[in-house]
Amino acid sequence: MMRWSLSAYRMFKRCQRQYYFAHIAAHHSVKSDNIRREAYRLKQVKSLSAWKGSLIHQGINKFILPCLQQKEQINWEEAINKTIELAKRQFEFSKAQRLQKSWNFKDGQCILLEHERGEEVPQSELDNIYAEISISFDNLASQKDLISYIQERDLYYSERIFSHNYDGAQVCVVPDLIFFCSYGYPTIIDWKVEQDYAPGHHKLQVALYAWVLWNKNKWGIKKLEDIELYEVQLLEGKVIKHSCNSESLKDLEDFMFQSIHEIRSLCGEHRYQEQNLEDYEFAKSPNTCLFCSFQRLCKEAERWKSTQLIFLK
């Protein structure tokens, strides 16, 4: 069955070949297929910007949410320091993987795009990431009403996968945080780190979280308006509350229907054996290729078909 997510559709619109490698070809256990194994490894590669966002999310999950759940006071400085320590460990892991080319990634480990390409990461870039981790946590600490509101709850779902079938596709979401004021009254929080979007840009994403919860409805939600949706812009220190109603979810379903059929018209049911890479278009913007981890595999796919499990460096 085809798996659909908002991020996957955005990738499809950005570059069809990138979508092919990430969502059709990538597979870690097919040892006889060089392209699928390498596509899986390259799917773990992150740009510095994506890595920064991942670190901040991990820091919140590891060092802040447990304190909230246990009704303990948060040591924000300690949370910042531990997250920066985590960043340094992951950075060293990435440097080592440049040589080892492993397929095994644990605890959020990754390869940075610069290391994959044999490039150095300037210390100034790392210092900026560490600084933005600190800014994000300081801004979150300043949202005292939000922190108190979360801390008053007893049950949290953090980065848990939820899915619901729609029009023959499995719609998958991973909300950053869900908790309940009481049974049937969920609150969904989406931590955001990006600075290149206007406030409210992520309305579609949080609406999708609400849509899946509403359709799963294992928590007795009686009205869409009973679902609270918050977008927390960590670098800007802003909290945006989005409305949840039948009109917004109807617009979302129209969007989902159109996008699912757009992808299916090219990819069918995503069976790898039925695909032809030549049917997939290259990105229209050179910037997409510049920051794409599949760049070399994309250019040299024919060569990979005829080689043993080797690396092209």
Side-chain angles (χ1 to χ4, degrees):
M1 177 184 289
M2 169 184 171
R3 297 186 68 180
W4 183 94
S5 68
L6 191 56
S7 61
Y9 176 65
R10 286 172 175 164
M11 179 183 288
F12 180 83
K13 296 297 288 184
R14 188 166 61 243
C15 177
Q16 292 180 0
R17 291 173 74 95
Q18 188 180 64
Y19 179 91
Y20 166 83
F21 286 116
H23 294 281
I24 297 178
H27 199 293
H28 69 284
S29 64
V30 186
K31 296 182 179 180
S32 61
D33 193 311
N34 301 344
I35 290 179
R36 301 198 74 179
R37 291 268 287 177
E38 181 67 352
Y40 173 79
R41 189 185 71 82
L42 293 174
K43 189 176 180 179
Q44 321 306 316
V45 174
K46 288 185 172 70
S47 66
L48 287 176
S49 177
W51 181 52
K52 174 185 67 181
S54 173
L55 286 167
I56 292 171
H57 279 74
Q58 289 178 66
I60 292 173
N61 284 336
K62 287 176 174 289
F63 311 123
I64 295 176
L65 287 182
C67 295
L68 293 175
Q69 194 158 21
Q70 295 165 20
K71 318 300 182 189
E72 297 175 353
Q73 185 174 357
I74 301 169
N75 186 328
W76 292 96
E77 183 176 358
E78 181 180 58
I80 291 169
N81 291 335
K82 285 185 175 181
T83 303
I84 291 175
E85 289 172 8
L86 177 65
K88 291 178 178 178
R89 290 198 300 272
Q90 290 188 9
F91 185 80
E92 291 304 317
F93 175 89
S94 175
K95 286 176 65 176
Q97 293 309 297
R98 178 173 59 184
L99 301 177
Q100 297 175 17
K101 296 292 184 181
S102 172
W103 282 277
N104 298 315
F105 300 89
K106 300 177 181 178
D107 195 25
Q109 294 169 331
C110 67
I111 303 175
L112 296 178
L113 184 60
E114 287 76 6
H115 290 156
E116 171 64 22
R117 294 178 176 174
E119 301 169 359
E120 296 297 325
V121 178
Q123 185 61 43
S124 60
E125 295 270 10
L126 290 174
D127 290 340
N128 285 337
I129 289 173
Y130 302 155
E132 292 194 350
I133 290 172
S134 181
I135 291 169
S136 296
F137 282 32
D138 286 342
N139 285 339
L140 183 56
S142 71
Q143 299 291 339
K144 298 186 184 301
D145 290 343
L146 178 65
I147 294 298
S148 296
Y149 189 53
I150 299 173
Q151 199 161 30
E152 291 169 358
R153 313 308 159 198
D154 296 315
L155 181 62
Y156 301 86
Y157 295 95
S158 177
E159 296 195 358
R160 176 173 166 179
I161 298 174
F162 295 91
S163 65
H164 184 74
N165 293 345
Y166 176 75
D167 195 34
Q170 185 181 35
V171 178
C172 301
V173 297
V174 187
D176 291 332
L177 180 63
I178 300 176
F179 57 86
F180 292 81
C181 297
S182 60
Y183 185 73
Y185 292 85
T187 297
I188 302 173
I189 293 182
D190 198 25
W191 313 117
K192 288 300 179 187
V193 182
E194 302 97 324
Q195 290 181 298
D196 55 345
Y197 293 117
H201 175 88
H202 301 289
K203 181 178 181 179
L204 196 63
Q205 182 69 69
V206 293
L208 183 61
Y209 297 153
W211 180 88
V212 172
L213 255 65
W214 172 253
N215 283 283
K216 296 294 286 186
N217 205 12
K218 58 186 291 186
W219 291 288
I221 305 170
K222 294 181 179 179
K223 296 188 302 180
L224 286 169
E225 289 77 8
D226 293 336
I227 304 175
E228 289 188 316
L229 302 175
Y230 289 97
E231 171 192 335
V232 181
Q233 291 283 354
L234 294 167
L235 284 175
E236 298 296 324
K238 297 178 181 178
V239 178
I240 302 166
K241 185 173 183 179
H242 296 286
S243 60
C244 184
N245 52 55
S246 58
E247 183 178 347
S248 62
L249 293 200
K250 180 181 182 302
D251 292 341
L252 173 66
E253 285 196 356
D254 290 343
F255 172 82
M256 290 166 55
F257 181 85
Q258 176 269 326
S259 62
I260 288 170
H261 281 265
E262 185 178 351
I263 295 174
R264 188 175 280 145
S265 66
L266 175 63
C267 310
E269 293 304 320
H270 289 58
R271 297 184 184 92
Y272 175 72
Q273 294 77 9
E274 297 175 359
Q275 309 299 319
N276 182 354
L277 180 57
E278 300 306 313
D279 294 336
Y280 289 77
E281 295 179 358
F282 289 93
K284 294 180 175 62
S285 169
N287 286 334
T288 299
C289 296
L290 185 63
F291 296 101
C292 179
S293 61
F294 300 108
Q295 185 183 92
R296 192 178 64 246
L297 180 60
C298 181
K299 291 179 178 178
E300 303 184 11
E302 289 303 317
R303 178 178 171 183
W304 274 82
K305 288 181 181 178
S306 59
T307 60
Q308 298 299 315
L309 272 176
I310 62 173
F311 297 99
L312 300 179
K313 288 212 175 204

